[in-house]
Amino acid sequence: MGKIGKHIAIYGKGGIGKSTTTSNISAALAEAGYRVIQIGCDPKSDSTNTLRGNSYLPTVLDSMREGKKVHLSDVSATGFGGVLCIESGGPVPGVGCAGRGINAAVNLLQDLNLFEEYKPDYVLYDVLGDVVCGGFAVPIRDGITDRAYVVSSSDFMAIYAANNLFKAINKYAPSGGAKLGGIIANGLTAGYSQAIVDDFTSRTGTKAVGYVPRSLVVSQSELFGKTVIEANPTSGHADIYRELAKYIAESEDLVVPNPLGVSELRDWAREWGDRIYDTETGVVQESLGI
Ligand code: ADP
Ligand code: MG
């Protein structure tokens, strides 16, 4: 496929803040004057809602299922700052395979010459990453993107999902798959959580490329059906997203991570189970060995 623009995949477990983060990055890049496409590759199909006042888009898969010829204008809409929004969609509940659906949707967009027509500077793929099965790995596996980031909090299940993505990258990078840009730490509430994420990145040969604290500004912007960049452009959080967007736009620091094995990950998590965090000094004391 023609590499028009930088193609970036953003993975993470369901509900961790992928769409919120991706949409704010898209909005920040659009605000900086770039042409941006955001493709939601989550069967939930709500990736781009805050770029378009909380409205749903007809999905690529729904349109394909109608059996008529699909035009780009049927499945795309312009959102904040001119971001072109697309949702791959999902299978009919109880039937079909979400991963295979992503593949079909991405192929169709290529056949419709989306990138040649729109000439984007950046294309962001918002991909569900609880399980990186063959289908969900399509954006990093088949040369569609050359870089992936993963949104994670310090919760074990979020880190577990990040580690799964590392495994998939590790498998496919040698044959032309995407590399890892790093972790976007989202929803952190305390220094202890940041210390957990930092320890995980250092164990796996990666790094955190941004820290987005949990904030009411994010929740309230979402209630307005907007990104933080649009609803609260002068807030500290808007600047956090702008800085993150700038980093992701410019960075070429990509690695093949070293995922932890199943029991290694469990043992690592256990080490953190009884560590003591001093909220005043920010010092994490070593495990008490309980
Ligand atoms: P995903 O796309 O990974 O399923 P979403 O982006 O839809 O997750 O986020 C899930 C919920 O968490 C949303 O209601 C969103 O507003 C909220 N959220 C995400 N990041 C933050 C944050 N940093 N602070 C507060 N709320 C957040
Ligand atoms: Mg989402």
Side-chain angles (χ1 to χ4, degrees):
M1 125 172 161
K3 267 281 169 270
I4 300 172
K6 252 188 201 180
H7 293 242
I8 302 164
I10 302 199
Y11 277 82
K13 93 173 197 56
I16 203 60
K18 290 179 299 297
S19 301
T20 306
T21 309
T22 309
S23 298
N24 275 288
I25 293 171
S26 291
L29 291 173
E31 186 189 59
Y34 294 110
R35 289 175 70 76
V36 182
I37 303 177
Q38 180 167 325
I39 304 178
C41 299
D42 183 329
K44 209 166 19 142
S45 309
D46 63 351
S47 171
T48 61
N49 285 18
T50 55
L51 290 164
R52 294 171 303 96
N54 241 352
S55 58
Y56 279 85
L57 255 178
T59 71
V60 176
L61 287 178
D62 278 344
S63 303
M64 285 171 81
R65 273 192 289 268
E66 283 175 13
K68 288 180 279 187
K69 181 167 168 37
V70 181
H71 302 278
L72 275 178
S73 57
D74 301 331
V75 292
S76 62
T78 311
F80 173 78
V83 176
L84 190 72
C85 303
I86 295 171
E87 302 282 348
S88 74
V92 175
V95 190
C97 163
R100 217 174 289 152
I102 291 175
N103 200 4
V106 169
N107 285 340
L108 179 75
L109 294 172
Q110 289 176 6
D111 292 347
L112 294 175
N113 294 326
L114 167 66
F115 307 116
E116 290 81 356
E117 296 268 327
Y118 194 76
K119 300 189 176 51
D121 298 302
Y122 296 98
V123 184
L124 300 176
Y125 299 76
D126 170 2
V127 199
L128 182 63
D130 286 53
V131 181
V132 189
C133 73
F136 286 105
V138 162
I140 51 165
R141 189 187 68 185
D142 294 350
I144 290 170
T145 67
D146 67 349
R147 60 199 66 203
Y149 291 83
V150 58
V151 178
S152 179
S153 67
S154 63
D155 289 349
F156 182 70
M157 288 319 296
I159 288 186
Y160 178 87
N163 194 58
N164 272 348
L165 176 71
F166 292 2
K167 287 182 181 172
I169 290 179
N170 206 276
K171 181 172 170 57
Y172 294 118
S175 51
K179 288 186 174 173
L180 183 79
I183 287 190
I184 300 167
N186 184 50
L188 304 187
T189 48
Y192 178 79
S193 344
Q194 184 167 329
I196 293 180
V197 173
D198 287 345
D199 192 35
F200 175 69
T201 55
S202 79
R203 296 281 183 109
T204 48
T206 61
K207 63 178 180 183
V209 298
Y211 299 92
V212 185
R214 184 154 196 88
S215 164
L216 254 187
V217 175
V218 179
S219 319
Q220 292 191 320
S221 302
E222 183 189 38
L223 293 173
F224 270 137
K226 292 179 175 170
T227 59
V228 175
I229 298 289
E230 183 179 9
N232 289 284
T234 57
S235 62
H237 259 64
D239 282 340
I240 291 174
Y241 285 126
R242 288 187 186 107
E243 215 172 288
L244 180 62
K246 185 168 163 29
Y247 177 88
I248 288 178
E250 293 174 359
S251 174
E252 289 301 326
D253 183 8
L254 307 172
V255 299
V256 178
N258 302 311
L260 300 179
V262 175
S263 56
E264 246 180 322
L265 183 66
R266 227 177 284 135
D267 291 346
W268 168 81
R270 241 194 99 67
E271 285 175 31
W272 279 92
D274 56 1
R275 279 190 187 169
I276 295 173
Y277 179 73
D278 186 324
T279 44
E280 300 217 329
T281 61
V283 172
V284 179
Q285 285 178 19
E286 280 307 302
S287 165
L288 300 176
I290 298 168

